[in-house]
């Protein structure tokens, strides 16, 4: 399956701590994206990293990509209660530039 | 509040012509993005912006330029239209505060390139 698999499935931290979520996949990819979904809400795009990039920053977010290990990580620094949500990685595989395939997500809970 | 507005609603271009799709929001949202939607496909991200002065490429950026000189406006420019750019284009913003992380979409612009 080309689906990304997030790890851990659930993560609970205190406000101010950093949160790290991982995504592993099996195929070659064109790019990898991270999305956030609050309970009962739609998906919101966070960041996109291409297969030729190794690291990308956006505000408190830092994404890394290791194509040799077929894995990516999302780091949220100085977490806030408002960061509580499910986080998904989504793949665009090299073989088809159409389908965005989502993993099952990591449920992050940030405790105040 | 008007929310997210897009103009024009419809546009027909000839191959090689250039044009700008306008997107404006009055919700003071930092994050804005452009998608295209083609028949049988989901939304594909073209470009996005996390704030005024900052833009980045999405999944399908080729043939499109963006700029973000103000928080309110995020225009999408087609440099030299091609039939492959025939699509419906949606602009979106991400909410803050009570609607944190909710994505608001504009009504769309239907573009046909002949």
């Amino acid at each position: 399956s080309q689906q990304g698999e997030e790890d851990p499935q659930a993560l609970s931290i205190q406000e101010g701590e950093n949160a790290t979520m991982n995504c592993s996949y099996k195929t070659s990819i064109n790019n990898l994206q991270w999305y956030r979904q609050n309970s009962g809400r739609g998906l919101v795009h966070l960041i996109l990293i291409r297969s030729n990039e190794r690291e990308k920053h956006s505000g408190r977010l830092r994404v890394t990509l290791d194509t040799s290990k077929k894995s990516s990580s999302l780091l949220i620094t100085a977490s806030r209660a408002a960061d509580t949500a499910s986080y998904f990685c989504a793949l665009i595989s090299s073989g088809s530039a159409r389908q965005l395939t989502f993993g099952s997500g990591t449920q992050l809970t940030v405790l105040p | 509040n008007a929310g997210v507005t897009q103009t024009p609603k419809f546009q027909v271009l000839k191959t090689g012509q250039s044009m700008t799709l306008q997107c404006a929001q009055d919700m003071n949202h930092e994050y804005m993005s452009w998608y295209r939607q083609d028949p049988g496909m989901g939304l594909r991200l073209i470009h996005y912006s996390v704030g005024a002065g900052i833009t980045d490429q999405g999944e399908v950026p080729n043939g499109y330029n963006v700029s973000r000189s103000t928080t309110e406006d995020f225009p999408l420019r087609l440099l030299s239209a091609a039939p492959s750019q025939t699509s419906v284009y949606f602009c979106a913003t991400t909410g803050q505060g009570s609607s944190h992380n909710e994505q608001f979409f504009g009504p769309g612009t239907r573009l046909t390139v002949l």
Side-chain angles (χ1 to χ4, degrees), chain A residues 31 33 36 38 41 43-48 50 56 58 82 92 97-98, chain B residues 31 35 41 44-45 48 50 56-59 61 94 98 100-103:
Chain A
N31 65 64
Q33 304 179 37
R36 177 174 57 207
N38 284 55
R41 306 283 194 180
L43 286 163
V44 175
H45 175 257
L46 294 176
I47 197 165
L48 178 150
R50 297 183 182 280
K56 205 159 182 181
S58 178
I92 297 285
R98 308 296 188 196
Chain B
Y31 183 99
Y35 295 87
M41 297 183 184
R44 290 187 290 169
L45 183 67
Y48 65 100
V50 298
D56 206 348
Q57 294 182 346
E59 177 193 350
T94 301
S98 61
H100 188 68
N101 296 333
E102 183 176 358
Q103 206 157 25

Side-chain angles (χ1 to χ4, degrees), chain A residues 11-76:
Chain A
L11 179 63
S12 184
I13 59 173
Q14 294 293 135
E15 206 165 24
E17 293 181 339
N18 296 342
T20 299
M21 289 158 273
N22 302 298
C23 173
S24 60
Y25 57 92
K26 296 182 179 178
T27 65
S28 297
I29 61 169
N30 184 281
N31 65 64
L32 187 147
Q33 304 179 37
W34 284 91
Y35 285 78
R36 177 174 57 207
Q37 185 175 38
N38 284 55
S39 179
R41 306 283 194 180
L43 286 163
V44 175
H45 175 257
L46 294 176
I47 197 165
L48 178 150
I49 187 165
R50 297 183 182 280
S51 60
N52 61 354
E53 295 177 306
R54 293 295 167 258
E55 187 172 313
K56 205 159 182 181
H57 296 255
S58 178
R60 293 185 297 112
L61 305 181
R62 173 176 168 256
V63 169
T64 62
L65 179 64
D66 187 335
T67 53
S68 65
K69 295 181 179 177
K70 290 187 165 54
S71 68
S72 173
S73 68
L74 171 67
L75 169 67
I76 304 174

